[in-house]
Amino acid sequence: MGGKNKIRRQINKKAILLAHFGTSYPVALSALGNIKEEVQEQFPGIETRICFTSNRIRTIWASRRRKPESWLAKGVPEEIMYAQSLLGAIGNLQDQNYRTVIVQPTHIYHGEQYEDLQSCIRALQSIRTIKKAWAPFDKIVLSRPTLGTYGIEHDYVEDIDEVVQALETDVIRAKASGASLVYMGHGNDFFSSGAFFETQKAMRAFYPDSSIYIGMVEGYPGIDEILQALEKDSIKHVLLKPFMITAGDHAHNDMNNPEPDSWKSRIESLGIQVDVAMEGLGANGAFAGIFAKRIQQTAEDHGIDLHPAEKMMVSKQEEKNGEWK
């Protein structure tokens, strides 16, 4: 027998998923916590969770879960201890009726990690069910990385300018000790690191009285090019800091390490004094706030209301004052 299907509706809760590369260093976790706190403060009624996109980092934490008590006793948050992959975290959200999800990457630029994120989200967006009511998601969308990405909706140059202004405290710190500011970014061997070069150019223009350099662990310019620039400019003193969300593995092993091939040692080999700031950019409140702004913009782009409680309170107040009909 044929018949008309009844209209069915699913519960549709909203969530924000912060997609971190991740870190295995407990001392670096505060930067990730700072970002989450900033986002939760801006969107108090929205579920906010995290995931780690790095397979290597997740493998390290998986091995530590064999004896989680010792790590939890050291102050490692449980959500870090059991951090999932992007697809694992999204699957859990979907199982719990979070069918509107904004994925906010905390990757610095549009490189390999962000490209992989795009691929996963596009695949999930492409799912079509016979009955629309049973689609796994109402909306699942990907926001922009820190330095922006290509497209006409949001000018990546403006995204870079926001980052430049958020880094004012680093510039002030370096200037106070008469040092040049040298950042060590991650970069990528498979994607252009031009966004970092544009950021360096923007920082020098915004802070014309400061000497600023941005180099890459992978890609161009690397430490060799940074050393050439420092020597050419007769730099005598630098503040060395990671241009990364956390001061994790690369900061400890590539940047601040007594071995002769570290950035600190190689810069010192030129007779330059080196001060090291072992702080990830995520620990900077102004920088962390950029992600909340990205999330709000992405929500508006896709017609997602992340402040329903505030609007309800306004409506009730207007009704109470006789201004609402």
Side-chain angles (χ1 to χ4, degrees), residues 8 23 44 73 83 86 101-102 119 136 147 153 158 160 190 202 205 231 238 251 261-262 283 290 298 307 309 320:
R8 296 181 173 88
T23 180
L86 172 77
V101 181
I102 296 177
S119 179
L147 298 178
E153 291 84 3
E158 294 180 359
I160 288 176
F190 311 107
E231 198 166 27
V238 305
D261 61 345
S262 73
I290 290 174
T298 301
H307 300 282
K320 181 179 179 180

Side-chain angles (χ1 to χ4, degrees), residues 11-32:
I11 298 172
N12 181 11
K13 297 190 288 184
K14 301 169 187 174
I16 294 166
L17 180 61
L18 298 173
H20 303 303
F21 178 86
T23 180
S24 61
Y25 281 72
V27 295
L29 292 174
S30 59
L32 302 185

Side-chain angles (χ1 to χ4, degrees), residues 112-188:
E112 180 182 356
Q113 291 285 323
Y114 184 74
E115 189 70 16
D116 290 349
L117 278 177
Q118 275 194 324
S119 179
C120 288
I121 299 303
R122 285 170 178 164
L124 293 171
Q125 289 171 335
S126 72
I127 296 173
R128 297 291 182 268
T129 54
I130 298 299
K131 296 177 182 176
K132 187 176 180 180
W134 302 131
F137 303 101
D138 182 59
K139 293 179 181 178
I140 179 165
V141 297
L142 180 64
S143 189
R144 314 194 299 287
T146 314
L147 298 178
T149 185
Y150 57 80
I152 61 174
E153 291 84 3
H154 299 282
D155 190 337
Y156 78 90
V157 174
E158 294 180 359
D159 288 343
I160 288 176
D161 287 343
E162 287 179 351
V163 171
V164 167
Q165 293 176 48
L167 297 177
E168 181 180 18
T169 52
D170 291 346
V171 176
I172 292 174
R173 181 174 177 180
K175 197 172 181 179
S177 60
S180 296
L181 180 58
V182 177
Y183 284 117
M184 184 190 77
H186 190 290
N188 194 279

Side-chain angles (χ1 to χ4, degrees), residues 15-239:
I16 294 166
L17 180 61
L18 298 173
H20 303 303
F21 178 86
T23 180
S24 61
Y25 281 72
V27 295
L29 292 174
S30 59
L32 302 185
N34 188 49
I35 293 171
K36 185 177 181 182
E37 287 175 9
E38 182 68 29
V39 171
Q40 288 178 313
E41 183 177 339
Q42 295 299 318
F43 309 106
I46 306 298
E47 179 76 5
T48 301
R49 299 187 186 178
I50 69 162
C51 67
F52 284 174
T53 63
S54 168
N55 295 326
R56 182 176 60 83
I57 297 299
R58 292 198 312 276
T59 298
I60 291 172
W61 284 109
S63 67
R64 292 172 178 175
R65 287 199 290 271
R66 296 168 188 163
K67 295 182 179 180
E69 299 81 9
S70 61
W71 294 98
L72 294 172
K74 295 176 183 178
V76 173
E78 190 168 326
E79 67 175 353
I80 298 293
M81 198 75 227
Y82 296 92
Q84 295 182 300
S85 67
L86 172 77
L87 293 179
I90 288 176
N92 276 347
L93 285 169
Q94 195 270 336
D95 277 347
Q96 296 165 31
N97 297 314
Y98 291 97
R99 298 181 58 247
T100 295
V101 181
I102 296 177
V103 178
Q104 175 60 59
T106 61
H107 303 93
I108 295 293
Y109 86 123
H110 188 147
E112 180 182 356
Q113 291 285 323
Y114 184 74
E115 189 70 16
D116 290 349
L117 278 177
Q118 275 194 324
S119 179
C120 288
I121 299 303
R122 285 170 178 164
L124 293 171
Q125 289 171 335
S126 72
I127 296 173
R128 297 291 182 268
T129 54
I130 298 299
K131 296 177 182 176
K132 187 176 180 180
W134 302 131
F137 303 101
D138 182 59
K139 293 179 181 178
I140 179 165
V141 297
L142 180 64
S143 189
R144 314 194 299 287
T146 314
L147 298 178
T149 185
Y150 57 80
I152 61 174
E153 291 84 3
H154 299 282
D155 190 337
Y156 78 90
V157 174
E158 294 180 359
D159 288 343
I160 288 176
D161 287 343
E162 287 179 351
V163 171
V164 167
Q165 293 176 48
L167 297 177
E168 181 180 18
T169 52
D170 291 346
V171 176
I172 292 174
R173 181 174 177 180
K175 197 172 181 179
S177 60
S180 296
L181 180 58
V182 177
Y183 284 117
M184 184 190 77
H186 190 290
N188 194 279
D189 287 329
F190 311 107
F191 285 78
S192 169
S193 50
F196 293 93
F197 183 80
E198 290 192 55
T199 302
Q200 175 184 276
K201 181 180 178 181
M203 290 197 74
R204 290 178 175 182
F206 199 79
Y207 307 106
D209 297 331
S210 298
S211 182
I212 302 167
Y213 305 83
I214 302 178
M216 308 290 112
V217 176
E218 300 175 10
Y220 179 88
I223 182 58
D224 291 334
E225 288 76 25
I226 293 299
L227 292 174
Q228 291 172 11
L230 294 176
E231 198 166 27
K232 176 179 177 293
D233 296 340
S234 301
I235 302 301
K236 303 300 181 185
H237 184 189
V238 305
L239 173 64

